[in-house]
């Protein structure tokens, strides 16, 4: 173990030596209280006048609709926490979706195509990190370019058309695209990803490096932290969670559509910010990011019940995002004053 790694593992001057003993699920819930409260209030505001909205079928459908943004947001948290951003996730999503559909249509077993889809996402994320590092450019600029690059490749290899004629009776489509114990399979996957990545961000050396670099890049460089390697790893993780979303979407839709995923990158970033991950870096919340994505999905579903004209959908969604961020920020400030 290097001196730098020991420094990451050691408690800081402002943290008690028993911080490990203090980490409890109750503390995690307290940190995410603001965004979870906003989500609960939204459910109540819509559910009171429209009780059908709170029906189990509608709630599961709303949660299902948020899965793909949620998975992207889970990976995006790591990038944002170290002052990076991955704008390419919408293009990566479409390219991975098309790649998986092409492999299956050409005869590959769907379950064997799954690792190839996930590997594709990782490679795309690594490419983002390597280009960002070698060219010494902001990841914002690099991933803005690769967003169009990846989407263009997806459109080209799909010949601009949906890829159909897939074996929809295969267990991959019936299971991964269906329900398990009455709950959409994608929600089980999302729960597992959230559990793993929440621990990775808060309780592992990699997560500590991400947060340390985001808190103070100059100090991190001075202390010898591997900034370039950590950046590549964070963007690779973003690519992996995006590929996971694409794999689940392929199973659910039963086709590879190269036009899917447009605007997903901005929704994923919005979900992270709503959930308490600042653009300034230094901290992040996987649970909060998923709650933020759920808020966006609840708003979209609620607008249907309120019969809001589709032309006002973006306006209403943007307003809710601002209110959610403001409410969460106010609750965090109140909590800090009490401490």
């Amino acid at each position: 173990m290097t001196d730098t790694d020991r420094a990451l593992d050691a408690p800081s001057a402002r943290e008690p030596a028993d911080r490990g003993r203090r980490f409890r699920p109750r503390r995690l819930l307290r940190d995410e209280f603001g965004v979870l409260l906003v989500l609960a209030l939204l459910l109540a505001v819509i559910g009171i006048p429209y009780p059908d909205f709170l029906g189990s079928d509608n709630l599961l459908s709303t949660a299902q609709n948020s899965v793909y943004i949620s998975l992207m947001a889970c990976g995006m948290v790591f990038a944002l926490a170290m002052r990076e951003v991955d704008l390419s996730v919408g293009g990566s999503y479409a390219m991975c979706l098309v790649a998986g559909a092409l492999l299956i249509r050409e005869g590959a077993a769907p379950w064997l195509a799954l690792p190839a889809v996930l590997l594709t996402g990782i490679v795309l994320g690594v490419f983002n990190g390597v280009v960002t590092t070698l060219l010494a450019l902001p990841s914002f600029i690099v991933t803005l370019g690769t967003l169009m690059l990846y989407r263009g490749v997806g459109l080209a290899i799909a010949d601009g058309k949906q890829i159909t004629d897939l074996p929809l009776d295969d267990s991959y489509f019936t299971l991964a695209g269906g329900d398990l114990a009455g709950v959409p399979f994608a929600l089980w996957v999302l729960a597992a990803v959230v559990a793993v990545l929440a621990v990775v961000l808060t309780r592992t050396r990699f997560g500590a490096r991400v947060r340390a670099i985001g808190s103070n890049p100059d100090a991190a460089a001075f202390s010898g932290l591997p900034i370039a390697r950590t950046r590549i790893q964070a963007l690779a993780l973003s690519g992996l969670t995006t590929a996971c979303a694409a794999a689940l979407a392929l199973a659910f839709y039963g086709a590879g559509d190269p036009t899917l995923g447009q605007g997903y990158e901005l929704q994923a970033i919005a979900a992270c910010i709503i959930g308490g991950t600042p653009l300034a870096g230094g901290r992040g919340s996987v649970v909060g990011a998923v709650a933020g994505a759920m808020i966006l999905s609840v708003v979209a579903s609620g607008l249907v019940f309120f019969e809001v004209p589709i032309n006002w959908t973006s306006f209403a969604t943007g307003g809710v995002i601002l209110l959610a961020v403001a409410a969460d920020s106010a609750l965090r400030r109140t909590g800090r004053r009490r401490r």
Side-chain angles (χ1 to χ4, degrees):
M1 180 183 293
T2 65
D3 292 340
T4 299
D5 290 336
R6 291 192 184 94
L8 281 171
D9 290 336
S12 67
R14 290 180 294 179
E15 287 185 315
D18 64 342
R19 72 182 170 112
R21 293 195 297 270
R22 285 173 27 193
F23 182 79
R24 295 289 185 272
R26 183 169 47 189
R27 180 182 178 185
L28 177 64
L29 289 175
R30 187 179 67 222
D31 291 341
E32 319 308 336
F33 177 75
V35 67
L36 293 174
L37 178 61
V38 170
L39 178 59
L41 288 174
L42 270 176
L43 290 172
V45 166
I46 302 171
I48 290 174
Y50 299 100
D52 289 345
F53 179 81
L54 297 178
S56 59
D57 289 343
N58 184 69
L59 289 179
L60 286 175
S61 176
T62 301
Q64 163 80 28
N65 292 337
S66 75
V67 164
Y68 312 122
I69 300 298
S70 294
L71 286 169
M72 294 179 190
C74 287
M76 187 76 73
V77 165
F78 288 80
L80 293 177
M82 63 178 299
R83 301 193 188 184
E84 306 290 343
V85 64
D86 186 0
L87 287 176
S88 71
V89 293
S92 301
Y93 173 82
M95 184 173 170
C96 290
L97 187 63
V98 168
L102 281 173
L103 284 173
I104 295 172
R105 192 179 68 178
E106 295 303 315
W111 287 109
L112 294 180
L114 175 61
V117 173
L118 299 180
L119 181 59
T120 299
I122 294 173
V123 169
L124 297 180
V126 169
F127 181 78
N128 287 336
V130 170
V131 173
T132 298
T133 300
L134 291 181
L135 298 184
L137 290 173
S139 56
F140 176 89
I141 300 298
V142 172
T143 57
L144 179 60
T146 55
L147 164 64
M148 293 181 281
L149 175 67
Y150 297 159
R151 183 170 294 283
V153 171
L155 283 166
I157 62 178
D159 198 23
K161 298 179 292 187
Q162 274 195 1
I163 300 170
T164 55
D165 298 326
L166 306 182
L168 301 183
D169 57 344
D170 187 89
S171 61
Y172 175 76
F173 294 96
T174 58
L175 175 61
D179 295 347
L180 179 63
V183 176
F185 184 82
L187 289 177
W188 292 110
V189 174
L190 176 62
V193 170
V194 170
V196 171
L197 293 188
V199 172
V200 169
L201 182 62
T202 59
R203 308 302 295 170
T204 67
R205 189 172 300 141
F206 170 65
R209 285 174 178 164
V210 165
R211 290 180 281 112
I213 293 170
S215 295
N216 193 328
D218 293 333
F222 181 77
S223 64
L225 288 180
I227 295 178
R229 187 178 73 193
T230 306
R231 178 189 298 118
I232 293 171
Q233 290 171 338
L235 292 175
L237 180 58
S238 179
L240 174 60
T241 57
T242 299
C244 184
L248 290 171
L250 177 60
F252 182 75
Y253 294 117
D257 188 343
T259 65
L260 289 177
Q262 295 186 26
Y264 279 15
E265 57 281 344
L266 297 181
Q267 292 186 55
I269 293 171
C272 292
I273 295 173
I274 291 172
T277 301
L279 292 174
R283 61 185 174 87
S285 170
V286 175
V287 175
V290 173
M294 294 285 183
I295 286 174
L296 296 178
S297 184
V298 167
V299 170
S301 179
L303 292 177
V304 175
F305 280 82
F306 281 108
E307 299 182 352
V308 175
I310 192 169
N311 293 334
W312 288 89
T313 298
S314 295
F315 173 84
T317 302
V320 170
I321 289 174
L322 290 176
L323 289 174
V325 172
D328 182 58
S329 177
L331 287 168
R332 288 177 185 274
R333 285 197 300 271
T334 302
R336 283 196 293 269
R337 291 195 197 102
R338 289 176 178 174
R339 289 196 291 271

